[in-house]
Every structure is written in structure tokens, then in C-alpha cells.
Amino acid sequence: MNLTINNNFFVITGGPGVGKTTLLNELKNKNLVVVPEIARELIIEQKHNNGEALPWKNTELYKQLLFDRYIKSYKEVEKEHAGSVPVFFDRGFLDTLCYAKLINSKINGHMHGYGKKLRYNKNVFILPPWKEIYITDGERKQNWEEALLTFKKMAETYKEYDYTINEVPKKSPSERANYILKCINTQ
């Protein structure tokens, strides 16, 4: 696999319930390109079809399907937007490697290779845990302690793959969006 760098691809990540989707909706409302979260889509699909690929059922199958779909999504977006406008991803495929670490699952050479060779912009935007807005729902079942651990592991995982972590301040969605846009316009 050849090294592919898409400097116009920006990952917005963090633990569960930190306002990622709200922030991405704010960016979308500014007519920017946003790629929705794959994990939530997969969970909804699996629940609807009584599937096994769920983080509380078959974690290994969930991990593999999730990773494959993130890679497919990256490549599809690349065909349309490589080197053009900024594209904001609600999580990246490296989030799957973080998930693997959280469940003590092996990260195979195939996954590791994609992490090294298929690249987003080196600046990753991470939203910190924010207890005042944290809630669980039918797809998000992690408790607060798991949310804190996920944030920590997410930052570690992206750093391990040579990304720079940029922590987004706990502010209103529009202020967060403006913060990110200011950061990417000064690169």
C-alpha cells in the first residue's frame, strides 16, 4: 500500500457524549462537507437486523466491520474530495484501533498498515469529556468512567500514529466550529 495523505481530511473525535455530532452538524450548517459517524450507523443497522456485530455482543465482528466500513468511507470520500475542500469526519478509522485497545483485542498488521499509510490531516480535533452534556442512549451505553478512559485512549492512539492532538474547548457548538475553522485556516 502506498502512502496516501489527504491534508483536507480532518478528524473530529473524542469519547462518547462530548458533542461531536452537534459540532459536526454546526459545520454542516456552514455548508461544509461532513462525513457521519460509521459506528452509530452500524449499531443501528445491527440492532434493526438482530445482528451480532454489536459492541455488547460480538466485539470482534463489530471491530472488523467497523474498521472495514471506515476504510471504505475514507476511499469513497477520497474519490470525490481528495485535495479539494475541507472534509470533516465524525471519527476516523483509527478510532477502531482505539476501540480494539479498550476491549483488549488484537490490532492486526492489515489495520496497522492502514493506520500508517492512509492519512488524514496531521491535526486531529479531539473533544474532551464534558460531564454536563454527557448522556447515554440506545447506541451509546458507556458510563462516565468509560467515557473518560475512551478519551485518554483516543488521544494515545492518534499520537501513536503520529497525529497532533488539538483539544477543542468546551464551548457552544458555534464557538467550537469557529475554533476548528480558525485552526485549519492558519495551517
Side-chain angles (χ1 to χ4, degrees):
M1 177 188 321
N2 294 326
L3 177 65
T4 302
I5 302 171
N6 283 292
N7 281 319
N8 62 312
F9 285 12
F10 295 92
V11 173
I12 297 177
T13 192
V18 295
K20 287 183 306 300
T21 303
T22 303
L23 169 58
L24 284 148
N25 285 336
E26 186 71 29
L27 291 168
K28 190 174 183 177
N29 290 339
K30 293 179 182 287
N31 295 315
L32 296 163
V33 179
V34 171
V35 180
E37 183 181 9
I38 305 280
R40 187 170 283 271
E41 290 175 2
L42 177 59
I43 291 170
I44 290 169
E45 171 194 301
Q46 290 293 304
K47 284 173 62 177
H48 178 74
N49 297 326
N50 293 320
E52 291 294 313
L54 291 163
W56 52 88
K57 273 189 174 180
N58 186 334
T59 56
E60 290 299 318
L61 180 59
Y62 173 74
K63 175 191 80 173
Q64 191 58 55
L65 283 178
L66 188 60
F67 186 80
D68 292 346
R69 288 187 186 191
Y70 271 117
I71 296 299
K72 181 181 177 194
S73 172
Y74 181 102
K75 290 179 176 182
E76 287 172 353
V77 173
E78 184 177 44
K79 286 177 187 172
E80 189 173 349
H81 297 292
S84 66
V85 300
V87 178
F88 298 93
F89 289 79
D90 189 342
R91 300 190 179 278
F93 60 81
L94 287 177
D95 286 48
T96 309
L97 304 187
C98 174
Y99 172 72
K101 291 176 183 182
L102 288 168
I103 63 169
N104 295 312
S105 176
K106 185 178 187 318
I107 297 170
N108 62 39
H110 176 77
M111 293 172 142
H112 182 67
Y114 272 110
K116 289 291 186 187
K117 298 287 186 177
L118 202 60
R119 309 289 296 175
Y120 300 93
N121 185 286
K122 72 176 205 150
N123 294 296
V124 170
F125 295 97
I126 190 165
L127 280 67
W130 192 351
K131 195 161 191 163
E132 290 77 17
I133 67 168
Y134 183 78
I135 58 169
T136 58
D137 61 27
E139 290 80 46
R140 181 188 308 127
K141 297 180 183 258
Q142 300 96 328
N143 63 34
W144 178 245
E145 289 73 28
E146 290 169 317
L148 293 172
L149 179 60
T150 301
F151 170 78
K152 178 182 173 206
K153 289 289 186 190
M154 202 67 72
E156 289 173 3
T157 300
Y158 276 93
K159 285 178 186 175
E160 179 184 331
Y161 285 87
D162 300 320
Y163 285 92
T164 301
I165 300 301
N166 188 329
E167 191 170 314
V168 178
K170 295 177 185 175
K171 297 194 178 237
S172 73
S174 64
E175 289 173 303
R176 284 176 148 187
N178 289 336
Y179 171 82
I180 289 173
L181 292 175
K182 183 179 176 187
C183 288
I184 70 168
N185 287 326
T186 58
Q187 289 188 31

